[in-house]
């Protein structure tokens, strides 16, 4: 009963739904060099029976290329490109993967009843985008979300529907990218999490740390130097096996970085964590030279994630016949 109470209290405030921001930029940089046989894809209608429910108010199945529909508002509004379809119905592979990778944060996973945890957290997007494994809490479905959309993509390619093959694959990439964020694997140190049950300030700071680190990626890609872009572009593919092995590796690496990322953020931002940290404050602290360890660790996460996703894409796209 006590354990149940802890789980209930803890989940009630830890269900932060958000992720790395800037999925479109991260994906765009990861998919640049894919040696696809036929780089152009004809847009098709959605025609799938799924084992997954969505919030129908936000689920989008029409093509929205050229609209920057799901792009992060913290981005610079120019990068990455999102041109209109060629002749009104043809899109390059890179563009489908890029523009649809942020889509799952647009509400399709929100406001649903998913499982018994749902009653405790009241936030279904968090259930699908995170995976906590804290010893006393083992919860959420971020890893199975990735695997689900890889399988949907596989089915689409099998029936010759390349467009939805890539759209489902873009969603799969979203969940893999989410789980590369340490705060999607743990909300805080165990002591902080337990203290947060009774202390609202601790809860708030943990929440702000999560958002801050989401936005730090946007800062690195859009508003810092070229290090993040070059790290992602330059990462060599790593081949780790099937989709379960791929997502486990990404989660394990993110967890291994939790402690140092958490420590460095708290050290550098201190009292600013009592409120939402703004992009200009990240920039000011960076300019004072206080983020160099955080930056190094984050580049290492980006390098690892980009390598594993590149390797996965090469392996999977060969399996479905898109690559020789
Ligand atoms: Zn997400």
């Amino acid at each position: 009963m006590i354990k149940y109470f802890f789980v209930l209290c803890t989940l009630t405030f830890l269900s932060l739904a958000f992720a790395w921001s800037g999925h479109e930029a991260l994906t765009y940089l990861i998919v640049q060099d894919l040696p696809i046989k036929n780089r152009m894809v004809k847009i098709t209608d959605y025609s799938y029976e799924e084992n997954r429910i969505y919030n129908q108010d936000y689920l989008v199945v029409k093509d929205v290329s050229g609209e920057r529909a799901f792009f992060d508002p913290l981005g610079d509004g120019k990068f990455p490109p999102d041109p209109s379809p060629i002749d009104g119905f043809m899109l390059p592979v890179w563009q489908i993967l890029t523009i649809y990778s942020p889509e799952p944060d647009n509400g399709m996973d929100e406001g649903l009843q998913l499982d018994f945890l749902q009653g405790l957290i009241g936030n279904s997007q968090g259930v699908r985008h995170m995976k906590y494994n804290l010893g006393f809490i083992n919860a959420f479905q971020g890893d199975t979300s990735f695997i689900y959309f890889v399988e949907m993509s596989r089915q689409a390619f099998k029936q010759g529907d390349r467009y939805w093959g890539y759209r489902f694959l873009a969603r799969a990439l979203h969940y893999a990218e989410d789980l590369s964020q340490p705060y999607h694997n743990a909300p805080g140190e165990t002591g902080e999490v337990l203290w947060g049950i009774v202390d609202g300030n601790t809860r708030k700071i943990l929440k702000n740390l999560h958002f801050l680190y989401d936005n730090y990626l946007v800062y690195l890609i859009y508003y810092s130097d070229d290090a993040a872009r070059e790290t992602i572009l330059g990462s060599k593919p790593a081949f780790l096996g099937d989709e379960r092995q791929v997502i486990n590796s990404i989660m394990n690496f993110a967890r291994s970085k939790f402690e140092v990322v958490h420590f460095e953020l708290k050290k550098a931002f201190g009292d600013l964590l009592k409120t939402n940290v703004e992009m200009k404050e990240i920039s000011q602290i960076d300019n004072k030279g206080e983020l160099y360890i955080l930056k190094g660790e984050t580049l290492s996460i980006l390098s690892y994630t980009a390598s594993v996703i590149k390797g996965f894409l090469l392996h999977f796209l060969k399996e479905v016949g898109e690559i020789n």
Side-chain angles (χ1 to χ4, degrees), residues 17-20 23 101-102 104-105 109 125 128-130 174-175 178 184:
F18 305 104
W20 284 126
H23 284 275
S101 66
D105 281 345
D109 289 335
Q125 186 166 314
R128 282 195 174 159
H129 294 234
M130 301 193 287
H174 178 97
Y175 298 100
D178 270 4
H184 272 249

Side-chain angles (χ1 to χ4, degrees), residues 142-159:
D143 53 342
T144 48
S145 295
F146 170 73
I147 289 167
Y148 174 82
F149 281 111
V150 173
E151 186 52 34
M152 286 304 297
S153 171
R154 187 178 276 125
Q155 284 179 26
F157 279 119
K158 239 181 223 162
Q159 61 190 64

Side-chain angles (χ1 to χ4, degrees), residues 166-192:
Y166 282 111
R167 269 190 76 161
F168 287 133
L169 191 56
R171 288 188 193 162
L173 295 187
H174 178 97
Y175 298 100
E177 291 166 4
D178 270 4
L179 290 175
S180 74
Q181 213 278 41
Y183 287 102
H184 272 249
N185 296 271
E189 290 160 6
T190 305
E192 293 169 330

Side-chain angles (χ1 to χ4, degrees), residues 201-268:
N201 284 334
T202 301
R203 290 202 293 275
K204 197 166 178 199
I205 286 170
L206 291 179
K207 190 177 84 168
N208 289 337
L209 279 160
H210 182 132
F211 289 137
L212 167 59
Y213 201 50
D214 284 346
N215 294 343
Y216 181 62
L217 180 70
V218 174
Y219 171 75
L220 279 185
I221 292 181
Y222 286 101
Y223 303 109
S224 180
D225 55 20
D226 290 336
R229 293 186 192 211
E230 284 174 8
T231 296
I232 300 164
L233 285 171
S235 298
K236 296 273 179 284
F239 299 95
L240 298 181
D242 67 12
E243 47 263 38
R244 172 46 74 186
Q245 290 163 308
V246 162
I247 201 66
N248 283 352
S249 306
I250 287 174
M251 290 190 296
N252 286 340
F253 195 81
R255 282 181 197 134
S256 78
K257 293 293 181 187
F258 177 83
E259 211 170 305
V260 63
V261 165
H262 193 54
F263 178 82
E264 290 297 325
L265 284 171
K266 286 193 289 187
K267 190 176 74 174

